[in-house]
Amino acid sequence: MPELDPHVADEVPWSDRITPYDDRHKVIYMRLLDAEANGADWQEVARIVLHRDPVAEPERTRHCWENHLRRAKWMTTTGYRKTPCRRSRPPAVKRHHGRAGTAAMIVQL
């Protein structure tokens, strides 16, 4: 399970495969993508999510933010395809009626 607030390096160890760093930083990547989608100011995101000070170290902070956001985007477009549990097709969903007449969705893996 990824840590909720792991230490963030200045530079993502880049690879064409998912790395242990990626596994530990999935929550960071999701927070960066969410912030970007919501139009959050990059400096505020860097301060809160990456624990960097954009006023004291603007270049270092901007580089760290850009580098991690780029990796987060890679994870959503390419990296997810390299996960060991990735399926070749989406799971089938079937409707199931329980004892009390309630309907439930069952995902077949």
Side-chain angles (χ1 to χ4, degrees):
M1 180 172 174
E3 295 177 46
L4 295 180
D5 197 20
H7 170 75
V8 176
D10 286 338
E11 184 100 15
V12 173
W14 201 269
S15 173
D16 64 348
R17 297 185 180 276
I18 295 174
T19 67
Y21 185 90
D22 294 324
D23 287 334
R24 285 190 311 274
H25 291 80
K26 287 177 186 173
V27 172
I28 298 292
Y29 296 157
M30 287 186 280
R31 292 176 73 191
L32 292 173
L33 292 167
D34 188 49
E36 183 187 50
N38 287 305
D41 176 66
W42 77 268
Q43 293 177 339
E44 183 178 358
V45 174
R47 187 177 3 275
I48 295 168
V49 178
L50 304 175
H51 305 290
R52 296 296 188 276
D53 186 345
V55 175
E57 300 180 294
E59 290 179 24
R60 175 181 179 227
T61 301
R62 180 73 184 210
H63 176 77
C64 181
W65 174 77
E66 287 176 344
N67 193 256
H68 282 80
L69 183 58
R70 184 168 58 109
R71 186 64 174 184
K73 290 178 179 181
W74 177 86
M75 290 286 288
T76 65
T77 59
T78 305
Y80 80 94
R81 295 181 181 144
K82 299 176 186 280
T83 58
C85 63
R86 184 179 170 271
R87 297 172 53 92
S88 59
R89 60 180 173 78
V93 177
K94 294 187 176 184
R95 186 170 290 279
H96 172 72
H97 295 281
R99 289 187 204 161
T102 59
M105 301 304 279
I106 297 177
V107 177
Q108 283 189 314
L109 299 175

